[in-house]
Amino acid sequence: MSIRFRKSIELGPAFRINISKSGLSFSAHVPGMKGLSVSTGQKGTYLNAGLPGTGLSSRTKLSDKGVGVNFKDVVKKIEGAASKEMEQPEAEGRTEKKLSSREKEAPAVQEEPQPLQEILSPYLELHRKAPSVAALDSAAPLAEEAVEASCAVILKQLQVPYLFSASYEFDAASHTLMLDVDLPEIEDIPDEEESLTAKGALAEHRIPAAEAHANYVRCIESLAIYLAAAIFAANPALPAITLSGYTQRRNRDGDLEDAYVLSVRFTREGFVGARFDQMDDPEAFLLSFGNRMAKTKTGLLRKVVPYESVHEEERH
């Protein structure tokens, strides 16, 4: 599919650090390969592969060794280094420190499972960080270059734990910013929950497919609302944004192709006074605008035809 609008930009980190109660881990996306990444942490190094748009993914362990760092281990290493410093000869101005038997025999602290909702928060709650939007300032300038420049800045500064890209163009005739977003894939959203086994070890299991589908839909709805709010806030004279999102899916021949699953006509008026930090149902807010979005019975998003412009119906 050719890009509909003139300017485009790729966003999101190719490399990111994940912080949890059990320590640090690292993941890196393979450039140009959506759905393929390598992650490494305390549990080892894994190759994560997914078929975009299908919800199917696999995880292959490459090595038992990883570069994850446990905060408790870091503390122990720091304490150990400090102890060695204290054990240097007194001639160097240091005194010896002896550990008590209780300190020597202290058992390791058992790892606790990290709640899935805590892991999902950066994916599902982005809209809560959206800036407030003021009423339209008709006296403010509304130049094509300024609107598109602010859009580029907002997109580049956005920090999210997944890859996506966007193309955009200001329609001077309708005073509308047309924004197309190549959405993250469902395989990019964490779908494994941690729990403790009877022996006290951490185990991972996948959540039901319907729940994973719901999380994905909320993720892209949250992203769409945040982007629109940020662009409205940066352009006080901009009255409307048409945001359309697409993903990659297999066609009947088995080839990957772009498929639009969301198209919304956001208006500034609808954003004024919205309390995004208290918004528990981003979908209800999104559906209050003119939109094209439909779901299957299992919660998957259907393919839709995106809005071309605010005057599309007038031309047909």
Side-chain angles (χ1 to χ4, degrees), residues 18-313:
N18 312 299
I19 304 176
S20 67
K21 292 179 181 178
S22 59
L24 295 177
S25 62
F26 305 87
S27 60
H29 288 269
V30 179
M33 300 288 288
K34 234 180 173 186
L36 190 63
S37 65
V38 176
S39 59
T40 181
Q42 284 185 299
K43 299 175 184 177
T45 300
Y46 295 83
L47 173 66
N48 310 298
L51 293 176
T54 66
L56 301 176
S57 61
S58 65
R59 196 179 190 209
T60 304
K61 194 168 190 177
L62 302 177
S63 171
D64 289 327
K65 296 181 179 180
V67 297
V69 181
N70 189 290
F71 285 117
K72 301 182 186 71
D73 293 338
V74 172
V75 173
K76 288 181 180 179
K77 289 180 180 179
I78 294 175
E79 290 176 343
S83 297
K84 290 181 180 179
E85 289 283 333
M86 296 293 287
E87 292 172 359
Q88 295 298 320
E90 292 185 15
E92 298 182 16
R94 296 181 175 87
T95 57
E96 182 178 354
K97 177 183 177 181
K98 294 183 179 180
L99 296 176
S100 66
S101 58
R102 178 175 297 180
E103 289 175 315
K104 290 179 180 178
E105 299 172 1
V109 179
Q110 180 176 306
E111 292 184 31
E112 301 235 346
Q114 184 180 12
L116 181 59
Q117 287 306 311
E118 182 179 309
I119 298 172
L120 287 171
S121 181
Y123 298 82
L124 311 187
E125 307 299 331
L126 179 62
H127 64 280
R128 295 185 187 275
K129 299 180 180 180
S132 58
V133 177
L136 182 71
D137 183 358
S138 56
L142 185 62
E144 176 180 342
E145 296 78 7
V147 173
E148 293 183 350
S150 69
C151 186
V153 170
I154 290 168
L155 292 171
K156 288 180 179 179
Q157 290 180 343
L158 178 60
Q159 295 186 3
V160 288
Y162 46 77
L163 290 171
F164 74 102
S165 60
S167 60
Y168 52 91
E169 183 173 342
F170 179 67
D171 182 4
S174 62
H175 291 178
T176 300
L177 178 71
M178 308 297 293
L179 177 64
D180 270 17
V181 180
D182 185 355
L183 300 166
E185 302 296 333
I186 190 172
E187 298 80 20
D188 295 331
I189 315 303
D191 63 353
E192 291 186 340
E193 199 164 22
E194 292 183 341
S195 63
L196 285 176
T197 66
K199 296 182 179 180
L202 281 178
E204 294 180 340
H205 59 89
R206 291 200 167 176
I207 60 177
E211 185 178 343
H213 295 164
N215 288 340
Y216 177 66
V217 173
R218 183 179 174 106
C219 172
I220 64 175
E221 291 170 341
S222 184
L223 172 63
I225 292 171
Y226 178 91
L227 290 176
I231 294 171
F232 276 137
N235 298 277
L238 181 66
I241 298 171
T242 296
L243 186 151
S244 302
Y246 61 94
T247 182
Q248 284 70 46
R249 292 186 174 179
R250 298 279 175 184
N251 59 23
R252 293 181 179 180
D253 297 326
D255 298 322
L256 275 178
E257 64 179 12
D258 293 340
Y260 282 89
V261 295
L262 173 72
S263 194
V264 188
R265 288 176 170 169
F266 289 120
T267 62
R268 172 180 289 274
E269 183 181 4
F271 275 68
V272 176
R275 293 295 305 272
F276 300 109
D277 59 331
Q278 299 178 10
M279 186 176 289
D280 297 325
D281 190 356
E283 182 168 292
F285 178 76
L286 184 146
L287 294 179
S288 67
F289 300 90
N291 69 86
R292 291 177 179 174
M293 186 176 77
K295 300 179 189 176
T296 66
K297 291 182 179 179
T298 58
L300 283 172
L301 291 173
R302 297 181 184 274
K303 184 178 179 179
V304 300
V305 177
Y307 292 118
E308 293 181 10
S309 77
V310 293
H311 301 301
E312 179 182 9
E313 285 83 359

